[in-house]
Amino acid sequence: MIKIKKEEIVKKHCYTKLVYERINKKLKTNLSNDESETLIKKILEETTLENYFKKGKNFYISNKQHAIRVTINSNTFRVITVDRITNKLR
């Protein structure tokens, strides 16, 4: 079993210019870049380790309280996308 270091993900995660647009599109919001970063960081910090999964080259962090799943590249720690959690993703 792969040991996931939550603290490392919280500390090292980063963003590309395009991901901000993707976050707003997927969540149907109009957040500023700072607001997006604050939301993602809050989700990463609040989500328990049991809801951190590594599959292939990505980490998937599912936060049921916010109904959001964050996908992060496990090599670069870049946020790739976010998704609303529906019954299909649970």
Coordinates of all heavy atoms in Angstrom, one line a residue:
M1 N 0.8 -1.2 0.0 CA 0.0 0.0 0.0 C 0.9 1.2 0.0 O 1.9 1.3 0.7 CB -0.9 0.0 1.2 CG -1.9 1.1 1.2 SD -3.2 0.8 2.4 CE -3.8 2.4 2.6
I2 N 0.5 2.2 -0.8 CA 1.2 3.5 -0.9 C 0.9 4.4 0.3 O -0.3 4.6 0.6 CB 0.9 4.2 -2.2 CG1 1.3 3.3 -3.4 CG2 1.6 5.5 -2.3 CD1 0.8 3.7 -4.7
K3 N 1.9 4.9 0.9 CA 1.7 5.9 2.0 C 1.6 7.3 1.5 O 2.6 7.7 0.8 CB 2.9 5.8 3.0 CG 2.7 6.7 4.2 CD 3.7 6.3 5.3 CE 3.8 7.3 6.4 NZ 2.6 7.7 7.1
I4 N 0.5 7.9 1.7 CA 0.3 9.3 1.2 C 0.7 10.3 2.3 O 0.2 10.1 3.4 CB -1.2 9.5 0.8 CG1 -1.5 8.5 -0.4 CG2 -1.4 10.9 0.4 CD1 -2.9 8.5 -0.9
K5 N 1.5 11.2 2.0 CA 1.9 12.3 2.9 C 1.0 13.5 2.7 O 1.3 14.4 1.9 CB 3.3 12.6 2.7 CG 4.2 11.4 3.0 CD 5.7 11.8 2.8 CE 6.6 10.5 3.1 NZ 8.0 10.8 2.8
K6 N -0.1 13.6 3.5 CA -1.0 14.7 3.3 C -0.4 16.0 3.5 O -0.6 17.0 2.7 CB -2.2 14.5 4.3 CG -3.1 15.6 4.4 CD -4.2 15.4 5.4 CE -5.1 16.7 5.6 NZ -6.1 16.5 6.6
E7 N 0.5 16.1 4.5 CA 1.2 17.4 4.8 C 2.0 17.9 3.5 O 2.0 19.1 3.2 CB 2.1 17.3 6.0 CG 1.5 16.9 7.3 CD 1.2 15.4 7.4 OE1 2.0 14.6 6.7 OE2 0.3 15.0 8.0
E8 N 2.6 17.0 2.9 CA 3.4 17.3 1.7 C 2.5 17.8 0.6 O 2.9 18.8 -0.1 CB 4.2 16.1 1.2 CG 5.2 16.4 0.1 CD 6.0 15.2 -0.3 OE1 5.7 14.0 0.0 OE2 7.1 15.4 -0.9
I9 N 1.4 17.2 0.4 CA 0.4 17.6 -0.7 C -0.1 19.0 -0.3 O -0.1 19.9 -1.2 CB -0.7 16.6 -0.8 CG1 -0.2 15.3 -1.3 CG2 -1.8 17.2 -1.8 CD1 -1.2 14.2 -1.2
V10 N -0.5 19.3 0.9 CA -1.0 20.6 1.3 C 0.1 21.6 1.1 O -0.2 22.7 0.6 CB -1.4 20.5 2.8 CG1 -1.8 21.9 3.3 CG2 -2.6 19.6 3.0
K11 N 1.3 21.3 1.4 CA 2.4 22.3 1.4 C 2.8 22.6 -0.1 O 3.1 23.7 -0.5 CB 3.6 21.8 2.2 CG 4.8 22.8 2.2 CD 5.9 22.2 3.1 CE 7.1 23.1 3.0 NZ 8.2 22.5 3.8
K12 N 2.9 21.5 -0.9 CA 3.5 21.7 -2.2 C 2.6 21.9 -3.4 O 3.0 22.2 -4.5 CB 4.4 20.4 -2.5 CG 5.6 20.3 -1.7 CD 6.4 19.1 -2.2 CE 7.7 18.9 -1.5 NZ 8.5 17.8 -2.0
H13 N 1.3 21.7 -3.2 CA 0.3 21.9 -4.3 C 0.5 23.2 -4.9 O 0.8 24.2 -4.3 CB -1.1 21.5 -3.9 CG -1.8 22.6 -3.2 ND1 -1.6 22.9 -1.8 CD2 -2.7 23.6 -3.6 CE1 -2.3 23.9 -1.4 NE2 -3.0 24.3 -2.5
C14 N 0.3 23.3 -6.3 CA 0.4 24.5 -7.0 C -0.5 24.5 -8.2 O -1.3 23.6 -8.4 CB 1.9 24.7 -7.5 SG 2.4 23.3 -8.6
Y15 N -0.5 25.6 -8.9 CA -1.6 25.8 -10.0 C -0.9 26.3 -11.3 O 0.1 26.9 -11.3 CB -2.5 26.9 -9.5 CG -3.1 26.7 -8.1 CD1 -2.5 27.0 -7.0 CD2 -4.4 26.0 -8.0 CE1 -3.0 26.7 -5.7 CE2 -4.9 25.8 -6.8 CZ -4.2 26.1 -5.6 OH -4.8 25.8 -4.4
T16 N -1.6 26.0 -12.4 CA -1.3 26.6 -13.7 C -2.3 27.7 -14.0 O -3.4 27.7 -13.4 CB -1.3 25.5 -14.8 OG1 -2.6 25.0 -14.9 CG2 -0.3 24.4 -14.5
K17 N -2.1 28.5 -14.9 CA -3.1 29.5 -15.3 C -4.4 28.9 -15.7 O -5.5 29.4 -15.4 CB -2.5 30.4 -16.5 CG -1.5 31.4 -16.1 CD -1.1 32.2 -17.3 CE 0.1 33.1 -17.0 NZ 0.5 33.9 -18.1
L18 N -4.3 27.9 -16.5 CA -5.5 27.2 -17.1 C -6.4 26.6 -16.0 O -7.6 26.5 -16.2 CB -5.2 26.2 -18.1 CG -4.6 26.8 -19.4 CD1 -4.2 25.6 -20.3 CD2 -5.6 27.7 -20.1
V19 N -5.8 26.1 -14.9 CA -6.6 25.4 -13.9 C -7.6 26.3 -13.2 O -8.7 25.9 -12.9 CB -5.7 24.7 -12.9 CG1 -5.2 25.6 -11.8 CG2 -6.5 23.5 -12.3
Y20 N -7.4 27.6 -13.1 CA -8.3 28.5 -12.5 C -9.6 28.5 -13.3 O -10.7 28.5 -12.7 CB -7.7 29.9 -12.3 CG -6.6 30.0 -11.4 CD1 -5.3 30.2 -11.9 CD2 -6.7 29.8 -10.0 CE1 -4.2 30.3 -11.1 CE2 -5.6 29.9 -9.2 CZ -4.3 30.1 -9.7 OH -3.3 30.2 -8.9
E21 N -9.5 28.6 -14.6 CA -10.7 28.6 -15.5 C -11.4 27.3 -15.4 O -12.6 27.2 -15.3 CB -10.2 28.8 -16.9 CG -9.7 30.2 -17.2 CD -9.1 30.3 -18.6 OE1 -9.6 29.6 -19.5 OE2 -8.2 31.1 -18.8
R22 N -10.6 26.2 -15.3 CA -11.2 24.9 -15.2 C -12.0 24.7 -13.9 O -13.1 24.1 -13.9 CB -10.1 23.8 -15.3 CG -10.7 22.4 -15.5 CD -9.6 21.4 -15.7 NE -8.8 21.7 -16.9 CZ -7.5 21.7 -16.9 NH1 -6.8 21.4 -15.8 NH2 -6.8 22.0 -18.0
I23 N -11.4 25.2 -12.8 CA -12.1 25.2 -11.5 C -13.5 25.9 -11.6 O -14.5 25.3 -11.2 CB -11.2 25.8 -10.4 CG1 -10.0 24.9 -10.1 CG2 -12.1 26.0 -9.1 CD1 -9.0 25.5 -9.2
N24 N -13.5 27.1 -12.1 CA -14.7 27.8 -12.2 C -15.7 27.1 -13.1 O -16.9 27.1 -12.8 CB -14.5 29.3 -12.7 CG -14.0 30.2 -11.6 OD1 -14.5 30.1 -10.5 ND2 -13.0 31.0 -11.9
K25 N -15.2 26.6 -14.2 CA -16.1 25.9 -15.2 C -16.7 24.6 -14.5 O -18.0 24.4 -14.6 CB -15.4 25.5 -16.4 CG -16.2 24.8 -17.5 CD -15.4 24.5 -18.7 CE -16.2 23.8 -19.7 NZ -15.5 23.4 -20.9
K26 N -15.9 23.8 -13.9 CA -16.4 22.6 -13.3 C -17.3 22.8 -12.1 O -18.2 22.1 -11.9 CB -15.2 21.7 -12.8 CG -14.4 21.2 -14.0 CD -15.0 20.0 -14.5 CE -14.0 19.2 -15.4 NZ -14.0 17.8 -15.1
L27 N -17.0 23.9 -11.3 CA -17.8 24.1 -10.1 C -19.0 25.1 -10.4 O -19.8 25.4 -9.5 CB -17.0 24.7 -9.0 CG -15.9 23.8 -8.5 CD1 -15.1 24.4 -7.3 CD2 -16.4 22.4 -8.0
K28 N -19.0 25.6 -11.6 CA -20.0 26.6 -12.0 C -20.0 27.8 -11.1 O -21.0 28.2 -10.6 CB -21.4 26.0 -12.1 CG -21.5 24.9 -13.2 CD -22.9 24.3 -13.2 CE -23.0 23.4 -14.4 NZ -23.0 22.0 -14.1
T29 N -18.8 28.3 -10.9 CA -18.6 29.5 -10.1 C -17.8 30.6 -10.8 O -17.4 30.4 -12.0 CB -17.8 29.1 -8.8 OG1 -16.5 28.6 -9.2 CG2 -18.5 28.1 -7.9
N30 N -17.5 31.7 -10.2 CA -16.7 32.7 -10.8 C -15.7 33.2 -9.7 O -15.7 34.4 -9.4 CB -17.6 33.9 -11.3 CG -16.8 34.8 -12.2 OD1 -15.8 34.5 -12.7 ND2 -17.4 36.1 -12.3
L31 N -15.0 32.3 -9.2 CA -14.0 32.7 -8.1 C -12.8 33.3 -8.7 O -12.3 33.0 -9.8 CB -13.6 31.4 -7.4 CG -14.7 30.6 -6.7 CD1 -14.1 29.2 -6.2 CD2 -15.3 31.3 -5.6
S32 N -12.2 34.2 -7.9 CA -10.9 34.8 -8.3 C -9.8 33.7 -8.1 O -10.1 32.7 -7.4 CB -10.6 36.1 -7.5 OG -10.3 35.6 -6.1
N33 N -8.6 34.0 -8.6 CA -7.5 33.0 -8.4 C -7.3 32.8 -6.9 O -7.1 31.7 -6.5 CB -6.3 33.5 -9.1 CG -6.4 33.5 -10.6 OD1 -7.5 33.1 -11.2 ND2 -5.3 33.9 -11.3
D34 N -7.3 33.9 -6.2 CA -7.0 33.8 -4.7 C -8.1 33.0 -4.0 O -7.9 32.2 -3.1 CB -6.9 35.2 -4.1 CG -5.6 35.9 -4.4 OD1 -4.6 35.2 -4.8 OD2 -5.5 37.1 -4.2
E35 N -9.4 33.2 -4.4 CA -10.5 32.5 -3.8 C -10.4 31.0 -4.2 O -10.7 30.2 -3.3 CB -11.8 33.1 -4.3 CG -12.1 34.4 -3.8 CD -13.3 35.1 -4.4 OE1 -13.6 34.9 -5.6 OE2 -14.1 35.8 -3.7
S36 N -10.0 30.7 -5.4 CA -9.9 29.3 -5.8 C -8.8 28.6 -4.9 O -9.0 27.5 -4.4 CB -9.5 29.2 -7.3 OG -10.5 29.6 -8.1
E37 N -7.7 29.3 -4.8 CA -6.6 28.7 -4.0 C -7.0 28.5 -2.5 O -6.6 27.5 -1.9 CB -5.3 29.7 -4.1 CG -4.7 29.6 -5.4 CD -3.5 30.5 -5.5 OE1 -2.9 30.9 -4.5 OE2 -3.1 30.8 -6.7
T38 N -7.7 29.5 -2.0 CA -8.2 29.4 -0.6 C -9.1 28.2 -0.4 O -9.0 27.4 0.5 CB -8.9 30.7 -0.2 OG1 -8.0 31.8 -0.3 CG2 -9.4 30.6 1.3
L39 N -10.0 28.0 -1.4 CA -11.0 26.9 -1.3 C -10.2 25.6 -1.4 O -10.5 24.7 -0.6 CB -12.0 27.0 -2.5 CG -12.9 25.8 -2.6 CD1 -13.8 25.7 -1.4 CD2 -13.7 25.9 -3.9
I40 N -9.3 25.4 -2.4 CA -8.6 24.2 -2.5 C -7.7 23.9 -1.3 O -7.7 22.7 -0.8 CB -7.7 24.2 -3.8 CG1 -8.5 24.4 -5.1 CG2 -6.8 23.0 -3.9 CD1 -9.5 23.4 -5.4
K41 N -7.1 24.9 -0.8 CA -6.2 24.7 0.4 C -7.1 24.2 1.6 O -6.8 23.3 2.3 CB -5.4 25.9 0.8 CG -4.5 25.7 1.9 CD -3.6 26.8 2.2 CE -2.6 26.4 3.3 NZ -1.7 27.5 3.7
K42 N -8.3 24.9 1.8 CA -9.2 24.5 2.8 C -9.6 23.0 2.7 O -9.7 22.3 3.7 CB -10.4 25.4 2.8 CG -11.4 25.2 3.9 CD -12.5 26.2 3.9 CE -13.5 25.9 5.0 NZ -14.6 26.9 5.1
I43 N -10.0 22.6 1.5 CA -10.4 21.3 1.2 C -9.3 20.3 1.5 O -9.5 19.3 2.2 CB -10.9 21.1 -0.2 CG1 -12.2 21.8 -0.4 CG2 -11.0 19.6 -0.6 CD1 -12.7 22.0 -1.8
L44 N -8.1 20.6 1.1 CA -6.9 19.7 1.4 C -6.7 19.6 2.9 O -6.4 18.5 3.3 CB -5.7 20.2 0.7 CG -5.7 20.2 -0.9 CD1 -4.4 20.8 -1.4 CD2 -6.0 18.8 -1.4
E45 N -6.8 20.7 3.6 CA -6.5 20.6 5.0 C -7.6 19.9 5.8 O -7.3 19.2 6.7 CB -6.3 22.1 5.6 CG -5.1 22.7 5.1 CD -5.0 24.2 5.5 OE1 -6.0 24.8 5.8 OE2 -3.8 24.7 5.5
E46 N -8.9 20.1 5.4 CA -10.0 19.6 6.2 C -10.3 18.1 5.9 O -10.9 17.4 6.7 CB -11.3 20.4 5.9 CG -11.3 21.8 6.5 CD -12.5 22.6 6.1 OE1 -13.4 22.0 5.4 OE2 -12.6 23.7 6.6
T47 N -9.9 17.7 4.7 CA -10.2 16.3 4.3 C -9.3 15.3 5.1 O -8.1 15.5 5.2 CB -9.9 16.1 2.8 OG1 -10.7 17.1 2.1 CG2 -10.3 14.7 2.3
T48 N -9.9 14.3 5.6 CA -9.2 13.3 6.4 C -8.3 12.4 5.4 O -8.7 12.3 4.2 CB -10.1 12.4 7.2 OG1 -11.0 11.7 6.3 CG2 -10.9 13.2 8.2
L49 N -7.2 11.9 6.0 CA -6.3 11.1 5.2 C -7.0 9.9 4.5 O -6.6 9.5 3.4 CB -5.2 10.6 6.0 CG -4.0 9.9 5.3 CD1 -3.4 10.7 4.2 CD2 -3.0 9.5 6.3
E50 N -8.1 9.4 5.1 CA -8.8 8.2 4.5 C -9.4 8.6 3.2 O -9.8 7.7 2.4 CB -9.9 7.7 5.5 CG -9.5 7.2 6.8 CD -9.2 8.3 7.8 OE1 -10.1 9.2 8.1 OE2 -8.1 8.3 8.4
N51 N -9.6 9.9 2.9 CA -10.2 10.3 1.7 C -9.2 10.9 0.7 O -9.6 11.5 -0.3 CB -11.3 11.4 2.0 CG -12.5 10.8 2.7 OD1 -13.1 9.8 2.2 ND2 -12.8 11.3 3.9
Y52 N -7.9 10.5 0.9 CA -6.9 10.8 0.0 C -6.5 9.5 -0.7 O -6.3 8.5 0.0 CB -5.6 11.3 0.7 CG -5.5 12.8 1.0 CD1 -6.4 13.3 1.9 CD2 -4.6 13.6 0.4 CE1 -6.3 14.7 2.2 CE2 -4.5 14.9 0.7 CZ -5.4 15.5 1.6 OH -5.3 16.8 1.9
F53 N -6.6 9.4 -2.0 CA -6.3 8.2 -2.8 C -5.3 8.5 -3.9 O -5.3 9.6 -4.4 CB -7.6 7.6 -3.4 CG -8.6 7.3 -2.4 CD1 -9.7 8.2 -2.1 CD2 -8.6 6.1 -1.8 CE1 -10.6 7.8 -1.2 CE2 -9.6 5.7 -0.8 CZ -10.6 6.6 -0.6
K54 N -4.4 7.5 -4.1 CA -3.5 7.6 -5.3 C -3.9 6.6 -6.3 O -4.0 5.4 -5.9 CB -2.0 7.5 -4.8 CG -1.1 7.7 -6.0 CD 0.4 7.8 -5.5 CE 1.2 8.3 -6.7 NZ 2.0 7.3 -7.3
K55 N -4.1 7.0 -7.5 CA -4.4 6.0 -8.6 C -3.6 6.5 -9.8 O -3.7 7.6 -10.2 CB -5.9 6.0 -8.9 CG -6.3 5.0 -9.9 CD -7.7 4.9 -10.1 CE -8.1 3.9 -11.2 NZ -9.5 3.9 -11.5
G56 N -2.7 5.6 -10.2 CA -1.9 6.0 -11.4 C -0.9 7.1 -10.9 O -0.3 7.0 -9.9
K57 N -0.9 8.2 -11.7 CA 0.0 9.3 -11.4 C -0.7 10.4 -10.7 O -0.1 11.5 -10.5 CB 0.6 9.8 -12.7 CG -0.4 10.4 -13.7 CD 0.3 10.9 -14.9 CE -0.7 11.6 -15.8 NZ -0.1 12.3 -16.9
N58 N -1.9 10.2 -10.2 CA -2.6 11.3 -9.6 C -3.1 11.0 -8.1 O -3.3 9.8 -7.8 CB -3.9 11.7 -10.4 CG -3.6 12.2 -11.7 OD1 -2.6 12.9 -11.9 ND2 -4.4 11.9 -12.7
F59 N -3.2 12.0 -7.4 CA -3.9 12.0 -6.1 C -5.3 12.4 -6.3 O -5.6 13.4 -7.0 CB -3.2 12.9 -5.0 CG -1.8 12.5 -4.6 CD1 -0.8 13.3 -4.9 CD2 -1.6 11.3 -4.0 CE1 0.5 13.0 -4.5 CE2 -0.3 11.0 -3.6 CZ 0.8 11.8 -3.9
Y60 N -6.3 11.8 -5.6 CA -7.7 12.2 -5.6 C -8.1 12.4 -4.2 O -8.0 11.6 -3.3 CB -8.5 11.1 -6.2 CG -8.2 10.8 -7.7 CD1 -7.3 9.8 -8.0 CD2 -8.8 11.6 -8.7 CE1 -6.9 9.6 -9.3 CE2 -8.4 11.3 -10.0 CZ -7.5 10.4 -10.3 OH -7.2 10.1 -11.6
I61 N -8.5 13.7 -3.9 CA -8.9 14.1 -2.6 C -10.4 14.4 -2.6 O -10.8 15.3 -3.2 CB -8.1 15.3 -2.1 CG1 -6.6 14.9 -2.0 CG2 -8.6 15.8 -0.7 CD1 -5.8 15.3 -3.2
S62 N -11.2 13.6 -1.9 CA -12.6 13.7 -1.9 C -13.1 14.3 -0.6 O -12.9 13.7 0.4 CB -13.3 12.4 -2.2 OG -12.9 11.9 -3.4
N63 N -13.8 15.4 -0.7 CA -14.3 16.1 0.5 C -15.8 16.1 0.4 O -16.4 16.8 -0.4 CB -13.7 17.5 0.7 CG -14.2 18.1 1.9 OD1 -15.3 18.4 2.1 ND2 -13.2 18.4 2.8
K64 N -16.5 15.2 1.2 CA -17.9 15.1 1.1 C -18.7 16.4 1.6 O -19.7 16.7 1.2 CB -18.4 13.9 1.8 CG -18.0 12.6 1.1 CD -18.4 11.4 1.8 CE -17.8 10.2 1.0 NZ -17.9 8.9 1.7
Q65 N -18.1 17.0 2.6 CA -18.7 18.2 3.2 C -18.8 19.3 2.2 O -19.9 20.0 2.1 CB -17.8 18.7 4.4 CG -18.4 20.0 5.0 CD -17.5 20.5 6.1 OE1 -16.5 19.9 6.5 NE2 -17.8 21.6 6.7
H66 N -17.8 19.5 1.3 CA -17.9 20.5 0.3 C -18.4 19.9 -1.0 O -18.6 20.6 -2.0 CB -16.5 21.1 0.0 CG -16.0 22.0 1.2 ND1 -16.5 23.3 1.4 CD2 -15.2 21.7 2.2 CE1 -15.9 23.8 2.4 NE2 -15.1 22.8 3.0
A67 N -18.5 18.6 -1.1 CA -19.0 17.8 -2.3 C -18.1 18.1 -3.5 O -18.5 18.4 -4.6 CB -20.4 18.2 -2.6
I68 N -16.7 18.1 -3.2 CA -15.7 18.4 -4.2 C -14.6 17.3 -4.2 O -14.2 17.0 -3.1 CB -15.1 19.8 -4.0 CG1 -16.2 20.9 -4.3 CG2 -13.9 20.0 -4.9 CD1 -15.7 22.3 -4.0
R69 N -14.2 16.9 -5.3 CA -13.0 16.0 -5.4 C -11.9 16.8 -6.2 O -12.2 17.3 -7.3 CB -13.3 14.7 -6.2 CG -12.1 13.8 -6.3 CD -12.4 12.6 -7.1 NE -12.6 12.9 -8.5 CZ -12.9 12.1 -9.4 NH1 -13.2 10.8 -9.1 NH2 -13.0 12.4 -10.7
V70 N -10.8 16.9 -5.6 CA -9.6 17.6 -6.2 C -8.7 16.5 -6.8 O -8.4 15.5 -6.1 CB -8.9 18.4 -5.1 CG1 -7.7 19.2 -5.8 CG2 -9.8 19.4 -4.5
T71 N -8.2 16.7 -8.0 CA -7.2 15.8 -8.6 C -5.9 16.6 -8.7 O -5.8 17.7 -9.2 CB -7.7 15.4 -10.0 OG1 -9.0 14.9 -9.9 CG2 -6.7 14.4 -10.7
I72 N -4.8 16.0 -8.2 CA -3.5 16.6 -8.1 C -2.5 15.6 -8.7 O -2.5 14.4 -8.4 CB -3.1 16.9 -6.7 CG1 -4.1 18.0 -6.1 CG2 -1.7 17.4 -6.6 CD1 -3.8 18.4 -4.7
N73 N -1.6 16.1 -9.6 CA -0.5 15.2 -10.1 C 0.4 14.9 -9.0 O 0.9 15.7 -8.3 CB 0.2 16.0 -11.3 CG 1.3 15.2 -11.9 OD1 2.3 14.9 -11.3 ND2 1.1 14.8 -13.1
S74 N 0.7 13.6 -8.9 CA 1.6 13.1 -7.8 C 3.1 13.4 -8.0 O 3.8 13.4 -7.0 CB 1.4 11.6 -7.6 OG 1.8 10.9 -8.7
N75 N 3.5 13.8 -9.2 CA 4.9 14.1 -9.4 C 5.2 15.6 -9.2 O 6.1 16.0 -8.6 CB 5.3 13.7 -10.8 CG 5.3 12.2 -10.9 OD1 5.7 11.4 -10.1 ND2 4.7 11.7 -12.0
T76 N 4.3 16.4 -9.8 CA 4.5 17.9 -9.8 C 3.7 18.6 -8.7 O 3.9 19.8 -8.5 CB 4.1 18.5 -11.2 OG1 2.7 18.3 -11.4 CG2 4.9 17.9 -12.3
F77 N 2.7 17.9 -8.1 CA 1.8 18.5 -7.1 C 0.9 19.6 -7.7 O 0.4 20.4 -7.0 CB 2.5 19.0 -5.9 CG 3.2 17.9 -5.1 CD1 4.5 17.5 -5.3 CD2 2.4 17.1 -4.2 CE1 5.1 16.5 -4.6 CE2 3.0 16.1 -3.5 CZ 4.3 15.8 -3.7
R78 N 0.8 19.6 -9.0 CA -0.1 20.6 -9.7 C -1.5 20.2 -9.6 O -1.8 19.0 -9.8 CB 0.3 20.8 -11.2 CG 1.5 21.6 -11.3 CD 1.6 22.1 -12.8 NE 2.8 22.8 -12.9 CZ 3.8 22.4 -13.7 NH1 3.7 21.4 -14.5 NH2 4.9 23.1 -13.8
V79 N -2.4 21.1 -9.3 CA -3.8 20.8 -9.3 C -4.2 20.7 -10.7 O -4.0 21.5 -11.6 CB -4.6 22.0 -8.6 CG1 -6.1 21.7 -8.7 CG2 -4.2 22.1 -7.1
I80 N -4.9 19.6 -11.1 CA -5.3 19.3 -12.4 C -6.7 19.7 -12.7 O -7.0 20.4 -13.6 CB -5.1 17.8 -12.8 CG1 -3.7 17.4 -12.6 CG2 -5.7 17.5 -14.1 CD1 -3.4 15.9 -12.7
T81 N -7.6 19.3 -11.8 CA -9.0 19.7 -11.9 C -9.7 19.5 -10.6 O -9.2 18.9 -9.6 CB -9.7 18.9 -13.1 OG1 -10.9 19.5 -13.4 CG2 -9.8 17.4 -12.7
V82 N -11.0 19.9 -10.6 CA -11.9 19.6 -9.5 C -13.2 19.1 -10.1 O -13.5 19.4 -11.2 CB -12.1 20.9 -8.6 CG1 -10.9 21.4 -7.9 CG2 -12.8 22.0 -9.4
D83 N -13.9 18.3 -9.3 CA -15.2 17.9 -9.7 C -16.2 17.9 -8.6 O -15.8 17.8 -7.4 CB -15.1 16.4 -10.2 CG -14.2 16.2 -11.4 OD1 -14.6 16.6 -12.5 OD2 -13.1 15.6 -11.3
R84 N -17.4 18.2 -8.9 CA -18.5 18.1 -7.9 C -18.7 16.6 -7.7 O -18.7 15.8 -8.6 CB -19.8 18.7 -8.4 CG -19.8 20.2 -8.4 CD -20.3 20.7 -7.1 NE -20.2 22.1 -7.1 CZ -20.0 22.8 -6.0 NH1 -19.8 22.2 -4.9 NH2 -20.0 24.1 -6.1
I85 N -18.8 16.2 -6.4 CA -19.0 14.8 -6.1 C -20.5 14.6 -6.2 O -21.4 15.2 -5.7 CB -18.6 14.5 -4.6 CG1 -17.1 14.7 -4.5 CG2 -19.0 13.1 -4.3 CD1 -16.6 14.4 -3.1
T86 N -20.8 13.6 -7.1 CA -22.2 13.1 -7.3 C -22.2 11.7 -6.8 O -21.2 11.1 -6.4 CB -22.5 13.2 -8.8 OG1 -21.7 12.3 -9.5 CG2 -22.5 14.6 -9.3
N87 N -23.3 11.1 -6.8 CA -23.4 9.7 -6.4 C -22.5 8.8 -7.2 O -22.1 7.8 -6.7 CB -24.9 9.2 -6.4 CG -25.7 9.8 -5.3 OD1 -25.2 10.2 -4.3 ND2 -27.0 9.9 -5.5
K88 N -22.3 9.2 -8.5 CA -21.5 8.4 -9.4 C -20.0 8.4 -8.9 O -19.3 7.4 -9.0 CB -21.5 9.0 -10.8 CG -21.8 8.0 -11.9 CD -21.6 8.6 -13.2 CE -22.2 9.9 -13.5 NZ -22.1 10.3 -14.9
L89 N -19.5 9.5 -8.3 CA -18.1 9.6 -7.9 C -17.9 9.0 -6.5 O -16.8 8.9 -6.1 CB -17.6 11.0 -8.0 CG -17.5 11.6 -9.3 CD1 -17.2 13.1 -9.2 CD2 -16.5 10.9 -10.2
R90 N -18.9 8.8 -5.7 CA -18.8 8.4 -4.3 C -18.3 7.0 -4.2 O -18.5 6.1 -4.9 CB -20.1 8.6 -3.5 CG -20.3 10.1 -3.3 CD -21.5 10.3 -2.5 NE -21.8 11.8 -2.6 CZ -22.4 12.5 -1.8 NH1 -22.9 11.9 -0.7 NH2 -22.6 13.7 -2.0

